[in-house]
Amino acid sequence: MSKYFLDLLTLKTEMNYRGYSEATKKSYTQIVGNFLEVTDKEIIDITKEDVVRYLDENMKLLKKNSRAVHLNALEFFFEEVLGLDITVSIKNYKREFLEKTFMTLEQFNILSNSVTEKERLIYEIIKETGFKIKDIVNLKVEDIVYGDKSYIGIHKVSKELSRDIQKYCDKEMIDGKIFNVCEYSIRRWNKKATEKYLGAEYQINDIRHALALELYVKRGDEEGAVRYLGLKTVEALRQYYNRTGNKYYKK
């Protein structure tokens, strides 16, 4: 077992809490673990110079943006997880952002209105709740509260959506899990649907962030976007959009 096991476990726990993707969690854990092993110091003894030396000596074969990913991982670990300023003001490896193009609300509506009833309900649930794929997969009939004040779990939703879900469940005679799908199935048909109707592939997480941008951020409601995406802080929200080249705020 690595002597940095507890440090890496703390890193993983924080990323889980903030809802980071599996790919990001795996990447950051590998990068931080490798840095700690190569540096071979107690955390308290690591300096800014150690980080710069690591990037200089070990990242020579990587493109600039790839080197920046390594710095992002180390910044997150030291500043966000440990509260240390070791990586503050390291400028040489800052990412040259390629702006990510997000789906517009009009495009989302086209997508939602072009697919099957089952798929449309999934998209509309995501729109109103911010649910991730795993939440959709585990959604049960008993999680829906119908009426003028309608809820899916703790999320207030429109009565139109709750009515449509009720009609779908009645028609399909569903009394357990509403959609009876696995995560892989949702990813697969979403990939096909976005490519077919929008001409580009958007992952479910892309759609969630696009909707958060349209429905909350652009309307000045950062806190609403934080709740919608299940993030911990406004800073985490800003960091995400900044890293996709969509900086919407002024410091």
Side-chain angles (χ1 to χ4, degrees):
M1 180 183 296
S2 169
K3 67 179 181 180
Y4 302 108
F5 172 78
L6 291 179
D7 299 299
L8 295 176
L9 181 61
T10 302
L11 170 65
K12 292 177 184 177
T13 301
E14 185 64 22
M15 288 191 291
N16 282 333
Y17 182 73
R18 297 196 186 196
Y20 277 36
S21 70
E22 291 301 321
T24 299
K25 288 188 287 186
K26 181 179 179 181
S27 176
Y28 276 26
T29 302
Q30 289 177 340
I31 291 168
V32 173
N34 185 63
F35 168 78
L36 293 175
E37 294 292 342
V38 169
T39 307
D40 194 24
K41 287 184 177 182
E42 296 297 327
I43 297 293
I44 196 171
D45 295 324
I46 294 175
T47 66
K48 173 182 174 180
E49 287 69 30
D50 291 318
V51 176
V52 173
R53 187 180 305 111
Y54 173 80
L55 293 171
D56 284 343
E57 294 180 358
N58 297 283
M59 302 297 106
K60 292 177 181 178
L61 299 179
L62 296 177
K63 295 180 180 179
K64 187 172 183 179
N65 278 355
S66 296
R67 294 197 298 269
V69 172
H70 284 69
L71 177 57
N72 289 339
L74 295 174
E75 282 180 334
F76 180 81
F77 176 63
F78 286 112
E79 297 177 31
E80 301 293 330
V81 177
L82 301 182
L84 303 175
D85 61 1
I86 291 170
T87 53
V88 171
S89 76
I90 298 178
K91 301 296 184 183
N92 290 341
Y93 297 97
K94 288 298 182 182
R95 182 191 295 268
E96 295 176 343
F97 293 110
L98 296 177
E99 184 171 346
K100 184 181 183 70
T101 301
F102 286 98
M103 178 188 300
T104 65
L105 193 55
E106 180 182 5
Q107 287 177 308
F108 174 82
N109 291 333
I110 290 172
L111 177 66
S112 179
N113 291 325
S114 300
V115 295
T116 66
E117 179 184 17
K118 179 179 182 178
E119 293 165 356
R120 183 185 68 80
L121 284 176
I122 289 176
Y123 282 135
E124 292 300 324
I125 289 171
I126 292 171
K127 178 182 178 182
E128 295 201 22
T129 66
F131 274 3
K132 300 176 183 178
I133 295 179
K134 65 179 180 180
D135 302 315
I136 297 293
V137 169
N138 294 319
L139 189 60
K140 298 178 180 179
V141 172
E142 62 197 52
D143 297 322
I144 314 299
V145 176
Y146 304 102
D148 290 335
K149 293 184 178 180
S150 302
Y151 291 86
I152 299 179
I154 63 172
H155 301 273
K156 191 174 187 302
V157 298
S158 64
K159 63 180 180 181
E160 291 79 13
L161 177 57
S162 68
R163 181 192 61 216
D164 289 346
I165 295 173
Q166 184 177 35
K167 289 168 59 178
Y168 173 78
C169 291
D170 289 344
K171 183 177 67 174
E172 301 294 331
M173 295 184 290
I174 296 170
D175 59 6
K177 287 188 175 182
I178 294 178
F179 297 111
N180 191 29
V181 292
C182 65
E183 294 186 23
Y184 172 75
S185 295
I186 293 178
R187 291 191 182 95
R188 182 182 59 193
W189 64 248
N190 173 69
K191 179 179 184 295
K192 291 181 178 179
T194 55
E195 288 178 340
K196 179 178 181 180
Y197 298 112
L198 301 181
E201 180 185 346
Y202 294 93
Q203 298 179 9
I204 293 295
N205 203 42
D206 295 332
I207 296 174
R208 293 175 62 247
H209 282 90
L211 291 170
L213 189 63
E214 293 285 340
L215 300 176
Y216 296 97
V217 173
K218 288 184 178 181
R219 300 178 184 180
D221 186 5
E222 288 184 308
E223 293 291 347
V226 168
R227 290 191 297 272
Y228 176 84
L229 293 170
L231 299 176
K232 186 177 179 180
T233 64
V234 168
E235 287 70 27
L237 179 80
R238 291 177 173 180
Q239 184 182 59
Y240 175 85
Y241 288 110
N242 186 34
R243 288 181 175 177
T244 59
N246 291 267
K247 187 173 182 178
Y248 61 85
Y249 63 95
K250 294 182 180 179
K251 290 186 178 181

